[in-house]
Amino acid sequence: MRGYGPDDMSTRFDLTSEQADFLERIDTFAREELYPHAQRMDDEDWFPDDFFKRMGDAGFLGVSVPTEWGGQGLSIFEGGLILQALGRWNHGLALAYLCHDSLCMNTILRNADDEQKQWALPDLCAGTKVGALAMTEPEAGSDLLGSISTTARKDGDGYILNGTKKFIGNGPTADILMVMTRADPQGGLSAFMLPSDSPGFEVVRNIEKMGFRGTTWGELSFENCRLPAESLVGGWNRGHRVIMRGLDIERALAAGIGLGIAERALELCVERAKERRQFGKAIGNYQLIQDKLAGMYVRVETMRTMTYRALAAAEDTAYDQGGVGEIHKLTAAAVLYVGESLNWILNQAVQIWGARGYAWEYEINRLFRAIKVLEIGGGTTEVRKLIIGQELMR
Ligand SMILES: Cc1cc2nc3c(=O)[nH]c(=O)nc-3n(C[C@H](O)[C@H](O)[C@H](O)COP(=O)(O)OP(=O)(O)OC[C@H]3O[C@@H](n4cnc5c(N)ncnc54)[C@H](O)[C@@H]3O)c2cc1C
């Protein structure tokens, strides 16, 4: 794993030539192969079933998973570049990718034993199976660690799960799920990995979203769901550690999606400002419009620097770290800045597009409806501020 040296990403401000080539490759793939699906996904809440398989075939799944488990043996940083490119061209698929590759696969990679990895990772890396991570519940949102009430009870050499999970990305369509539970009788947290055909597991419903449409997102139930002993991941009552290890990485990767959306919004606005003529001139000639474009540009560039810094730092996070210290503060700050800036950027962008910005059928409107989630998912803006404040006061 890379350390903090003078040649390291954390002290540089741009991509290496290999990383720039990688971004170019995934950007071309996303523009040519995935962008054509974006409108239909938004209009019909439809998902292209071959997405994960095509990403696997193209070598874009399991980027940070070692090759022995079927992955690409690259790094979390490349995972962020993939999300940046997907964010630019089809953010709905970026969310599905995050839930599969980062939330589910990374959690398995960092916490499971070799036998469990062999069971799950090759199929997830090939895209022949889809993954999800189910933590949130109707009564367990921001206070996740304190409020999880889905129970796991020891039963002979196995476990029995009962409870409900809600707002789970890929949940309704996943083949392999990581699930966070609380020991019954009331105790610590434990993580389980299970196939979706486990008896007692059921998809209650898919929940319709205002943005990032097409990606499935739903409510799941466990009713006397019996799992074998080998389903327990990371140890009994060790779930707290499993969650905290992954959250910082998720935040750095989610910032990549926001960066891609912001880049695309700026591009669409510059094009529009050059094309749209009112009062005899292209609107981009008016300084009030240039003021908006300049503000967008400054925020996009700052987002890029913070996102790449957070990704580089997440890359350097050892397997047993995360959930505390510099990486916790930096990743929270990156995604906080990205989420808040996206709100400002898309508000200006719709203004530049005028009535077209307000019409569902335009791309800029799709981006506008999407971005609020960057302030909610994976820990809200308020929770990120609490993290930064607590770390500064430590
Ligand atoms: C598109 C999308 C995909 C998601 N995917 C997944 C997934 O794959 N897996 C999964 O497990 N979860 C997923 N989630 C759930 C997500 O992680 C939660 O929505 C998030 O943790 C916030 O919880 P909540 O929505 O219940 O908000 P709440 O916790 O109910 O918060 C409501 C409001 O109160 C504020 N608040 C709460 N506590 C405090 C406090 N102490 N101080 C100040 N303000 C506070 C919050 O910031 C927020 O503004 C997803 C959510 C979305 C929107």
Side-chain angles (χ1 to χ4, degrees), residues 84 252 254-263 295-311 333-346 371 374:
Q84 182 184 351
I257 301 180
L259 170 61
I261 294 175
E263 288 175 324
M296 290 169 79
Y297 171 79
V298 171
R299 284 170 177 80
V300 167
E301 291 304 312
T302 313
M303 282 165 81
R304 197 192 325 278
T305 303
M306 287 205 73
T307 300
Y308 286 176
R309 259 195 84 190
L311 283 168
V335 77
L336 169 70
Y337 181 78
V338 166
E340 289 193 330
S341 303
L342 265 179
N343 258 311
W344 188 90
I345 287 173
L346 264 302
I371 48 100
L374 269 296

Side-chain angles (χ1 to χ4, degrees), residues 223-384:
E223 205 179 326
N224 292 325
C225 175
R226 194 172 194 290
L227 300 178
E230 57 269 24
S231 304
L232 178 68
V233 173
W236 184 245
N237 280 342
R238 305 296 294 275
H240 177 278
R241 207 158 138 258
V242 173
I243 294 176
M244 297 316 285
R245 274 176 172 182
L247 274 179
D248 293 332
I249 293 171
E250 182 199 344
R251 291 195 177 109
L253 289 164
I257 301 180
L259 170 61
I261 294 175
E263 288 175 324
R264 180 67 183 150
L266 176 57
E267 186 177 71
L268 288 169
C269 286
V270 170
E271 279 171 16
R272 185 68 186 158
K274 287 180 179 169
E275 275 166 24
R276 176 64 170 170
R277 295 178 72 81
Q278 289 293 286
F279 302 102
K281 286 183 189 170
I283 60 170
N285 288 304
Y286 301 119
Q287 288 182 341
L288 286 174
I289 297 290
Q290 288 180 14
D291 172 71
K292 296 184 202 309
L293 292 174
M296 290 169 79
Y297 171 79
V298 171
R299 284 170 177 80
V300 167
E301 291 304 312
T302 313
M303 282 165 81
R304 197 192 325 278
T305 303
M306 287 205 73
T307 300
Y308 286 176
R309 259 195 84 190
L311 283 168
E315 179 61 30
D316 289 335
T317 306
Y319 273 57
D320 57 351
Q321 287 177 346
V324 71
E326 189 58 29
I327 176 70
H328 201 37
K329 182 170 54 159
L330 181 62
T331 53
V335 77
L336 169 70
Y337 181 78
V338 166
E340 289 193 330
S341 303
L342 265 179
N343 258 311
W344 188 90
I345 287 173
L346 264 302
N347 201 19
Q348 308 304 313
V350 167
Q351 198 68 17
I352 289 174
W353 276 78
R356 288 165 184 81
Y358 200 70
W360 184 286
E361 66 198 58
Y362 284 84
E363 185 175 353
I364 207 71
N365 182 267
R366 183 162 74 235
L367 304 191
F368 181 78
R369 279 183 285 109
I371 48 100
K372 191 63 190 166
V373 72
L374 269 296
E375 287 209 272
I376 298 173
T380 62
T381 288
E382 290 76 12
V383 166
R384 294 162 197 169

Side-chain angles (χ1 to χ4, degrees), residues 83-129:
L83 285 163
Q84 182 184 351
L86 296 185
R88 283 178 188 165
W89 298 111
N90 191 326
H91 54 261
L93 293 178
L95 178 62
Y97 181 93
L98 181 79
C99 295
H100 173 90
D101 208 276
S102 164
L103 296 188
C104 180
M105 234 195 288
N106 238 323
T107 304
I108 295 170
L109 178 66
R110 291 189 164 237
N111 298 285
D113 63 31
D114 283 1
E115 220 167 291
Q116 292 170 325
K117 287 179 191 169
Q118 187 56 49
W119 179 77
L121 291 177
D123 287 338
L124 292 170
C125 288
T128 49
K129 288 199 173 150

Side-chain angles (χ1 to χ4, degrees), residues 95 99 103 133-138 140-144 166-170 209 212 217 373 376-383 386:
L95 178 62
C99 295
L103 296 188
L133 172 65
M135 300 188 292
T136 305
E137 299 179 359
S142 301
D143 180 25
L144 189 70
K166 198 165 182 182
F167 305 125
I168 308 305
N170 292 350
K209 303 187 275 343
F212 282 87
W217 188 53
V373 72
I376 298 173
T380 62
T381 288
E382 290 76 12
V383 166
L386 292 177

